[in-house]
């Protein structure tokens, strides 16, 4: 009887070896969402110099330089500069100054110099030149001393 069971078991085992296992497949889906975003990295601050008629203090004047920033974006955002609200001027400068910030970009997207909000539609990295000009009107002139103004670069 034991022998008979062993023979039957071996026969069943041989019969199972000839049979292939059934294969099964399934699909796993992956979803992701990227919202429009950007990051700003300040590379360098700008320098303003005074014009020969003492009515312009600007990064565009001879010897001045733009500030520099890097913007990395997915596209679908707007780049802008806020109006200047933080300034430091010498006590002797008591006349009004009109501050005008502007930006221009190169790289993933090229934007000519502008002071208005501009759409960044292309994903990638752009270098941003940030300029600032302070102007006096009429017979007003800049006084001797140190001037400082803060330009807020905004990407949203």
């Amino acid at each position: 009887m034991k022998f008979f069971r062993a023979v039957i078991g071996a026969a069943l085992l041989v019969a199972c070896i000839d049979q292939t296992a059934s294969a099964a497949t399934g699909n796993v889906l992956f979803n992701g969402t990227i919202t429009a975003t950007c990051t700003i990295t300040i590379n360098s601050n700008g320098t303003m110099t005074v014009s020969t008629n003492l009515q312009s203090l600007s990064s565009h004047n001879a010897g001045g330089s733009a500030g520099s920033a890097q913007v990395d974006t997915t596209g679908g955002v707007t780049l802008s500069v806020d109006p200047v609200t933080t300034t430091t001027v010498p006590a002797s400068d008591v006349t009004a100054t009109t501050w005008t910030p502007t930006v221009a970009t190169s790289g993933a997207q090229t934007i000519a110099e502008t002071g208005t909000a501009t759409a960044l539609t292309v994903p990638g990295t752009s270098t941003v030149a940030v300029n600032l000009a302070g102007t006096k009107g009429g017979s007003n002139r800049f006084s001797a001393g140190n001037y400082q103004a803060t330009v807020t670069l905004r990407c949203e």
Side-chain angles (χ1 to χ4, degrees):
M1 188 71 158
K2 288 182 185 180
F3 178 74
F4 180 72
R5 282 187 201 160
V7 170
I8 295 291
L12 286 174
L13 183 61
V14 169
C16 288
I17 290 174
D18 279 346
Q19 300 213 356
T20 59
S22 339
T25 62
N27 296 326
V28 178
L29 299 176
F30 291 85
N31 295 307
T33 302
I34 299 174
T35 58
T37 187
C38 63
T39 59
I40 299 173
T41 304
I42 303 301
N43 296 329
S44 64
N45 293 316
T47 301
M48 298 182 293
T49 56
V50 70
S51 63
T52 55
N53 69 359
L54 306 177
Q55 285 192 299
S56 168
L57 182 63
S58 175
S59 55
H60 283 297
N61 290 337
S65 63
S68 175
Q70 177 178 308
V71 172
D72 294 293
T73 181
T74 58
V77 297
T78 302
L79 181 68
S80 63
V81 284
D82 290 352
V84 173
T85 57
T86 304
T87 59
T88 302
V89 302
S92 59
D93 188 337
V94 294
T95 60
T97 302
T98 301
W99 297 100
T100 306
T102 58
V103 295
T105 68
S106 60
Q109 188 160 335
T110 301
I111 300 171
E113 188 171 8
T114 182
T116 60
T118 304
L120 296 178
T121 57
V122 179
T125 300
S126 294
T127 299
V128 182
V130 181
N131 283 285
L132 180 61
T135 56
K136 299 280 189 184
S139 62
N140 297 326
R141 302 289 185 263
F142 282 94
S143 299
N146 294 321
Y147 289 79
Q148 186 176 60
T150 301
V151 173
T152 300
L153 183 62
R154 186 176 301 279
C155 187
E156 47 192 11

